[in-house]
Amino acid sequence: MKNRKWKKQYSIVAGIILLLVIIRLLLPTIVLRYANRTLANLNGYYGHVSDIDIALYRGAYQLDRLYLNKVDSTSGEQIKFFVVNRIDLSVDWRSLLKGALVGELAFEAPELIFTKDKAEVDAVAKDTTDFRQLLKDFMPLRVNRFEVRNGRIRYTDSTTSPLVDIALENAHIIAENLKNTSREDEKLPSTIRASAQAYGGSLNLDLKMDALADQATFDLTAEIEGANLPDLNDFFIAYGKFDVSKGTFGLYSEFAANNGKYKGYVKPIITDLEVVGLEDRDDNFFQRAKEAVIGVVGQLLENPKAEQVATRIPIEGSFGETNILVWEAIWQVLRNAFIEALMPSVDHQIDIRSPEEVAGRSGIFEAK
């Protein structure tokens, strides 16, 4: 009797194990079909994922070789928008140990492409919102951390001659504590750090923020250093009708936002600028004259000691309005040209307290 009971229990356990094995084997196929059905029916987009791997032991799954194209509503033409080798979606175990059920996202070799006539500010904002919604559909947990490894961000324009195709390469982005599961007593508990290669130079960004605040609250520092201007000649020729023989480009910026106000600056610096070179000897008279004028203007505004053209453009105001202090920017250009060179670095003059200074201004700088 006991032997029969034991055999029955063994059969039940064996059946359950067999059922779990079958479900585990079928689950990737079921999820893959669901994913591709979702990607194929997105409003304004069409996407596909080649394979899905599931790792139940760590509460994770991976999407392999996923692409997402924008679909022209009139012609039905598909335009490349996003492609990635792998997306890893998993439970954030560090936060789980602190009692928060949140997730992590990791992107391996993603590429984000903005195309001319599809890259206006409103369109970019819509694309970003739609993309976040897509990730939300695939990630049932609130995302607390994400990482991008070996990423690429491109801007293309096939309507120009020459064609414009510029990019930031080898981007590495880490965003942490987006749901404030730790450091809750800090003013700016969430962080984003990013770096990328930019035409022989580098881009670095450091952002501290309160990701859960009702109003934008952040402290941002960003800089591009050592970008080689001749490598961007296709861009200059396409949009400015001139090229550059020599020069390097840097850009330094700080911004902070708090209580509906923001304050910051953008400081571009061009060093060792030469517009006319040997490569221009076959240009027609009018083209050479135009480039000569650009070169002369650059020399007039160049600081003799530092051999650089630079300005510091302050930007401040309340959200819903943007105020670039044009006259101060002009003064900075002239001062840099004839009095002093701007130091090629961020000034560390902007922090989370800076937007409060905007409230004390009169007129257009008052918060609405």
Side-chain angles (χ1 to χ4, degrees), residues 282-301:
D282 295 327
D283 292 347
N284 62 50
F285 170 79
F286 294 103
Q287 181 64 28
R288 281 184 291 173
K290 175 182 178 179
E291 293 186 354
V293 170
I294 294 173
V296 169
V297 172
Q299 289 179 355
L300 288 174
L301 298 178

Side-chain angles (χ1 to χ4, degrees), residues 124-157:
V124 171
K126 179 181 182 301
D127 289 341
T128 304
T129 300
D130 291 344
F131 192 59
R132 287 203 309 266
Q133 184 59 46
L134 172 66
L135 292 176
K136 183 178 179 181
D137 292 341
F138 279 97
M139 175 54 120
L141 301 177
R142 298 178 302 163
V143 176
N144 188 54
R145 183 185 190 275
F146 77 80
E147 182 174 6
V148 173
R149 296 184 288 266
N150 192 27
R152 193 174 189 224
I153 302 174
R154 290 173 59 196
Y155 170 80
T156 65
D157 185 354

Side-chain angles (χ1 to χ4, degrees), residues 30 85 333:
I30 295 171
N85 282 352
V333 170

